[in-house]
Amino acid sequence: MKKIFRAPILNPLDENSWRFYRDGALSVDDGVVADIGEFSSVIERAGSDPEVEVLDGVVVPGFVDVHVHWVQHRVRGIFAGELLTWLQEHIWPEEARYADSELAGAAATQFYTDLLRAGTVAGMSYSSPHAEATEVAFRCMRGDWVIGNVLMAVHAPRTLTDFSLHDPDTLRVFMGRIDQAHYALTPRFAPNLTAESLAALGRVAADAGCFIQTHLAESVAELQWVRELFPDAANYTEVYDRAGLLTPKTILGHCIEMCDEEWQCIRDRGSWVAHCPTSNEALGNRRMPLERLRAYGIPFALASDIGGGPSHSMLHVMQRFLVSHRDAGVAVTPQEALYRSTKAGAQCMGRASVGGDLSAGKRADFVLLPRKSAAESIEGWFEDCLRGPAADLEQRPQGTWLRGGHVA
Ligand SMILES: [Zn+2]
């Protein structure tokens, strides 16, 4: 059954450009975009009497968040502080609570509901170490997600390490129960594993050909700890590289405290960076050197990193992306902010052919943003959509659609 949504539509093309249809139309057939363009052309091509729904707002593709801890959603924005103390004092006790599947179920339901309300339709998330909580996240899933149970063997409370599935045989059995298109092997970060266990995980990932997600070089204190724990490695990135964990399907959160050899290594391996500007600000870490990332041509997408990030709103992430780099004198555009929160995210999580923008053949996953703005250009309008506090931005979308169906 074909349906046409009539509204202005803004569709990202690449990091420098987007296409705006002032009186636009999105033709949706069986959940998939059949046609996009100006209303007059789309209606002509559609043939006999399609159903038309007029939307009061501007349509953009649904957002993709490539690094989020769904088990930290309840405490987002509550705690801050230096990364390692923040983890030990606030985050790990919270994650330990996910041993309770009932709590996990309620939290997962709330997580997906809130993300859809904020316009996020897909992404990559870190679960707690618990197998059951991770399975709950899959069962409750709304939208398209890649999820991994964090693997933690050492330097953490037993309330977490006792549940971790880092033993290769145990992990393989668990992975066998999960659709690999939705699974990411997830070593939490180097300090929670040994060189031997990281190498074993690298072999599991190579056999499965699965996604890998982890954190890299987020803070100065973390970097110092990694130097002490892995004295043989030339740098932090080499710890993962020696274990075979850097592949084109690897997504590395943060990448702030990096030297040239490390950027070169990531580039050579084809790995992705998940750039989390709101989290970096909230935890008092430095700005991710976007200019270095660009110089090496490393692919990246934007992410909220809740609960390090204070909000799951990708509008808030885009706002801070623009402000933080502009404050440092690095040029960034609204076109790039939208692209890194949609199309680049879909590419990062292996969904380039099915999502991330509204071209024909892709899922009709979209968000309606308020049309009202005093701005004269579409760039000005989009930046107006990003203004305001995070709590407002979480509620700013006027609606979210998955496969052409209104869900929030
Ligand atoms: Zn994170």
Side-chain angles (χ1 to χ4, degrees), residues 67-69 72 86 126 215 218 253-254 276 279 305-306 308:
H67 181 125
V68 41
H69 300 256
Q72 297 171 20
W86 168 81
Y126 289 55
H215 298 88
E218 180 176 358
H254 304 296
C276 315
S279 169
D305 189 31
I306 54 166

Side-chain angles (χ1 to χ4, degrees), residues 65 77 124 129 178 181-182 224 228 234 241 289 305 309 381 387:
D65 185 344
M124 302 188 65
I178 294 163
H182 290 280
Q224 187 53 42
E228 289 162 17
D241 194 38
D305 189 31
W381 165 80
R387 282 186 225 289

Side-chain angles (χ1 to χ4, degrees), residues 107-286:
T109 303
Q110 192 66 49
F111 169 77
Y112 292 116
T113 302
D114 288 358
L115 266 75
L116 286 172
R117 176 70 190 86
T120 300
V121 299
M124 302 188 65
S125 84
Y126 289 55
S127 192
S128 61
H130 312 97
E132 270 189 55
T134 308
E135 287 176 311
V136 161
F138 282 113
R139 272 202 302 278
C140 298
M141 183 164 79
R142 296 173 71 197
D144 183 1
W145 287 85
V146 170
I147 307 169
N149 47 309
V150 286
L151 304 162
M152 311 169 72
V154 290
H155 305 128
R158 292 195 55 184
T159 48
L160 292 171
T161 54
D162 279 359
F163 293 97
S164 172
L165 308 179
H166 53 275
D167 169 71
D169 295 334
T170 317
L171 183 59
R172 280 196 173 93
V173 171
F174 178 69
M175 287 168 68
R177 300 207 293 268
I178 294 163
D179 175 354
Q180 292 302 295
H182 290 280
Y183 186 74
L185 186 130
T186 310
R188 176 169 217 125
F189 68 158
N192 281 142
L193 293 141
T194 61
E196 295 71 32
S197 59
L198 284 167
L201 294 175
R203 287 190 290 275
V204 175
D207 290 347
C210 63
F211 289 104
I212 299 166
Q213 57 181 356
T214 189
H215 298 88
L216 175 60
E218 180 176 358
S219 83
V220 177
E222 175 203 11
L223 194 63
Q224 187 53 42
W225 198 17
V226 170
R227 280 200 189 113
E228 289 162 17
L229 294 172
F230 302 89
D232 299 346
N235 52 56
Y236 193 164
T237 303
E238 196 182 282
V239 174
Y240 293 139
D241 194 38
R242 280 180 178 181
L245 288 165
L246 301 181
T247 77
K249 292 181 81 173
T250 301
I251 297 88
L252 300 160
H254 304 296
C255 298
I256 298 172
E257 307 298 338
M258 303 271 285
C259 66
D260 283 337
E261 290 74 28
E262 295 181 274
W263 289 121
Q264 188 60 51
C265 176
I266 291 178
R267 196 204 139 80
D268 292 347
R269 303 291 175 263
S271 302
W272 282 73
V273 170
H275 174 29
C276 315
T278 53
S279 169
N280 301 153
E281 285 185 333
L283 296 183
N285 293 316
R286 290 203 287 196

